[in-house]
Amino acid sequence: MFRLKSQALAASVLACSLVACNTNNPSVANTSALQSAKSSAQGITWNADNTPTTTPIKHLVIIYNENVSFDHYFGTYPNATNPVGEPAFSALTGTPSVNGLTPSLLNNNPNFSNSQNGTAAANPFRLDRTQAATADQDHAYTAEQLAFDNGLMDLFPKYTGFGTSGGSGSFGSNGQVMGYFDGNTVTAMWNYAQHYAMSDNSYADTYGPSTPGALEAVSGQTNGVQLVQSNTPPFNAAPSTSNPYWAYSSYYIKDGQGGYTLVNDVDPAYDICSSTSNTVMMSGKNIGDLLNAANITWGGFMAGFDLTVTNNNGTTGCKRSTFSSVVNKNVTDYIQHHNWFQYFKSTANPQHLRPSSTSTVGYTYESDGKTPDPANHEYDYHDFVDAVSAGNYPAVSYIKAPAFQDGHAGYSDPLDEQAFATSVINFLMKQPDWKNTAVIIAWDDSDGWYDHAYIAPTNASHDPIADQLNGAGLCGSGTTMNGVAGLPVNGRCGPGARLPFLVISPWAKSNYVSHIQISQASIVRFIEDNWLNGQRLGDGAFDATTGSIMDMFNFNGTPNNTSYLLDTATGEPITN
């Protein structure tokens, strides 16, 4: 057994407490002898900075937002309207174009000319900054397929549109689904695109809402559903005539292989905050399992997860909430069906137990290297800030804003969303390890918002009720699934809707638009390629076939370590 040779050395190691002794933090003592001693005693990686990586990126932070299509945020990029009184946006010289809304799509759109959309038929129209709080659109698995209409992309008002009163133009009808924002509202996102890299060819791995998108970002698939509590049947009967496919929105379908695949939202079984009527667990591996096996520090950081916190309005526990002046209501901070890792027994923290200390955040074990840390890698967002501030910066961090700031229409909005994203990135840019950091801003689904891009499915699915993309009961025509021989695995129809995807890093290409096709599973692939020597999750997960995000980086040059801080309210650069 390894023994520390003196009480002084023991005290020093305890003071360093796992990872606080970071070589990039001169305020904390750190020597190679202590690193070696700690690693030998605990059998774990000393810290993220000393873990071998294939790129200079030692810390990946994924800000995973909600419910935005690419055209909804970037359709007219880089051209903004710039009305008086709103944050102005002027594109840098040489800004590349994107696959966005052309004059033809803006003025003669198939969603305007298709009579099936009725009075809600509309061309795309600009949503003003004063209209930031919109309705939540229909975005179920089948509804989105019907809106895409075999690639014609012309039935969004009919199948995914949902309006609210007020506003102008089509704002109050189902035609609201054709609305888009520009750089006067999503100002921070456009400014990040100007100075770093983004993709205009990024897609959801499958059709459908938040839970499938959350799972695909950590496990690369949605198959392997295990029903724990269910009073809802799978798609196995004709939908209602009054509201054909949205009303009949079962959360799982038979996969054709004797199991089930998740296609809509449902709560995780491993969560005290979950519903008592419908919950599921997922079989298979997620990226957390692979990181644990390799002793790489990581965490899922969801605002509202710490049930011991009491907000200023007196709310606490699972119902802890925050008031948003934009949507003018209290919004519960924590949404359990967005929590990536709570669906897997191996990475769940059902009771929301707290980490034993700030220094164990990101680690599987407490400081003795033997006792499992109670949090099991699942934390609140404030734990991320606390740990990084203390010099304990995990290698991989998935971050979710409190719900009112996650961008989900209906209870959040672009202004609250950018306030959170800019606060996170401003914080990280001030850290000593910014030079080794990459931030991804990605979204879990499109919310049903119009986007004109369509890719023929490469993942077939033939459920007679749920699949309607290329005809009744049909998504694609393949007889294999992601390289796995046999019948397609139903419920994994995709790629789905096109989504924004941004990379912010000293190593990111500047003012760059990547056209390489990627997906939500590309996040998993980057982690695997950077830390795990290209290991894959297996079992038909999309990480094996999805595109790489490496095109958005330039690892051959010199990193741009200059901080680009943005105002959290306006999204404009801070100049002083």
Side-chain angles (χ1 to χ4, degrees):
M1 178 179 178
F2 180 87
R3 297 180 182 274
L4 296 174
K5 294 184 177 181
S6 70
Q7 291 183 343
L9 181 58
S12 297
V13 172
L14 290 174
C16 288
S17 187
L18 275 178
V19 294
C21 295
N22 190 309
T23 56
N24 294 302
N25 187 348
S27 65
V28 184
N30 183 20
T31 68
S32 58
L34 284 178
Q35 292 181 31
S36 177
K38 199 67 173 180
S39 297
S40 299
Q42 297 184 325
I44 58 176
T45 303
W46 175 254
N47 61 35
D49 287 341
N50 289 339
T51 302
T53 56
T54 60
T55 77
I57 303 303
K58 300 295 183 179
H59 309 282
L60 179 68
V61 177
I62 303 105
I63 302 174
Y64 209 54
N65 292 339
E66 294 285 315
N67 296 49
V68 171
S69 75
F70 182 86
D71 279 345
H72 186 56
Y73 269 15
F74 287 98
T76 64
Y77 180 86
N79 300 310
T81 304
N82 290 334
V84 175
E86 297 186 9
F89 179 88
S90 297
L92 297 172
T93 301
T95 295
S97 61
V98 299
N99 178 15
L101 296 172
T102 63
S104 176
L105 287 170
L106 286 167
N107 301 309
N108 189 27
N109 196 279
N111 289 275
F112 177 73
S113 57
N114 191 332
S115 61
Q116 293 186 59
N117 289 312
T119 58
N123 284 315
F125 65 98
R126 179 182 181 272
L127 291 165
D128 190 71
R129 187 179 174 90
T130 60
Q131 298 170 317
T134 64
D136 181 19
Q137 310 300 306
D138 291 357
H139 50 288
Y141 177 80
T142 305
E144 289 188 350
Q145 292 187 36
L146 287 163
F148 277 51
D149 192 18
N150 199 27
L152 297 176
M153 312 299 281
D154 62 349
L155 291 174
F156 282 80
K158 180 177 181 179
Y159 287 111
T160 63
F162 194 81
T164 52
S165 61
S168 60
S170 297
F171 197 80
S173 77
N174 286 4
Q176 183 186 131
V177 75
M178 301 300 294
Y180 65 84
F181 294 105
D182 68 12
N184 308 127
T185 302
V186 289
T187 313
M189 304 304 174
W190 281 36
N191 276 323
Y192 284 136
Q194 288 274 282
H195 290 81
Y196 301 99
M198 76 167 174
S199 170
D200 69 348
N201 203 16
S202 175
Y203 295 83
D205 283 292
T206 63
Y207 290 91
S210 294
T211 302
L215 294 172
E216 283 149 359
V218 300
S219 69
Q221 66 165 312
T222 55
N223 192 230
V225 173
Q226 297 176 319
L227 307 178
V228 177
Q229 295 173 326
S230 178
N231 59 15
T232 303
F235 278 92
N236 60 4
S240 69
T241 56
S242 60
N243 195 354
Y245 290 93
W246 178 248
Y248 192 81
S249 56
S250 176
Y251 54 84
Y252 66 101
I253 66 176
K254 295 178 180 179
D255 66 3
Q257 313 294 315
Y260 299 107
T261 303
L262 193 72
V263 294
N264 284 316
D265 290 337
V266 64
D267 286 355
Y270 301 112
D271 200 312
I272 194 174
C273 295
S274 289
S275 162
T276 58
S277 58
N278 290 305
T279 60
V280 302
M281 54 191 283
M282 301 298 294
S283 61
K285 296 179 180 179
N286 65 61
I287 191 62
D289 295 316
L290 301 189
L291 292 170
N292 282 342
N295 293 324
I296 308 298
T297 55
W298 71 277
F301 300 90
M302 291 201 66
F305 194 80
D306 182 354
L307 303 185
T308 69
V309 171
T310 300
N311 282 4
N312 292 335
N313 60 7
T315 58
T316 190
C318 294
K319 300 300 182 182
R320 193 175 114 200
S321 66
T322 304
F323 179 77
S324 166
S325 60
V326 178
V327 300
N328 196 34
K329 63 181 180 181
N330 285 314
V331 179
T332 302
D333 289 344
Y334 176 67
I335 298 179
Q336 53 272 15
H337 73 257
H338 293 168
N339 194 340
W340 323 269
F341 298 101
Q342 292 286 87
Y343 290 87
F344 302 85
K345 184 177 181 179
S346 60
T347 56
N349 178 357
Q351 301 297 319
H352 295 226
L353 301 178
R354 303 293 300 132
S356 58
S357 70
T358 299
S359 62
T360 64
V361 170
Y363 282 83
T364 303
Y365 297 101
E366 295 184 8
S367 57
D368 62 4
K370 299 177 182 178
T371 306
D373 188 81
N376 196 28
H377 297 274
E378 301 309 299
Y379 315 98
D380 200 297
Y381 170 65
H382 77 76
D383 294 313
F384 175 79
V385 175
D386 294 344
V388 174
S389 298
N392 175 11
Y393 195 168
V396 176
S397 303
Y398 283 81
I399 289 178
K400 179 70 77 171
F404 85 98
Q405 291 181 313
D406 69 15
H408 193 304
Y411 63 76
S412 184
D413 64 281
L415 303 181
D416 284 328
E417 177 189 37
Q418 80 172 2
F420 180 81
T422 53
S423 68
V424 175
I425 296 169
N426 287 352
F427 166 71
L428 293 175
M429 286 183 174
K430 296 175 183 177
Q431 303 307 311
D433 272 1
W434 173 244
K435 62 183 180 298
N436 301 319
T437 295
V439 177
I440 290 173
I441 306 180
W443 284 259
D444 64 349
D445 69 74
S446 71
D447 201 53
W449 292 107
Y450 171 68
D451 189 279
H452 76 276
Y454 171 77
I455 292 180
T458 55
N459 310 307
S461 180
H462 301 157
D463 185 271
I465 300 298
D467 289 309
Q468 301 288 323
L469 179 65
N470 306 119
L474 185 63
C475 165
S477 57
T479 57
T480 62
M481 179 65 193
N482 214 16
V484 178
L487 296 174
V489 178
N490 289 335
R492 299 189 356 167
C493 173
R498 189 172 60 144
L499 312 172
F501 194 103
L502 297 163
V503 172
I504 299 138
S505 171
W507 296 96
K509 293 178 182 177
S510 179
N511 199 14
Y512 182 73
V513 177
S514 175
H515 308 302
I516 303 296
Q517 185 179 329
I518 60 173
S519 73
Q520 291 156 323
S522 296
I523 298 171
V524 175
R525 174 172 173 165
F526 178 82
I527 297 168
E528 294 166 341
D529 291 346
N530 194 50
W531 280 278
L532 302 170
N533 297 313
Q535 181 182 1
R536 301 292 182 235
L537 289 163
D539 196 29
F542 296 126
D543 59 332
T545 55
T546 191
S548 170
I549 69 172
M550 289 294 186
D551 181 54
M552 286 183 273
F553 292 98
N554 179 12
F555 294 124
N556 295 321
T558 302
N560 178 12
N561 292 316
T562 303
S563 295
Y564 181 65
L565 305 178
L566 298 182
D567 186 284
T568 58
T570 67
E572 297 175 304
I574 297 174
T575 57
N576 55 5

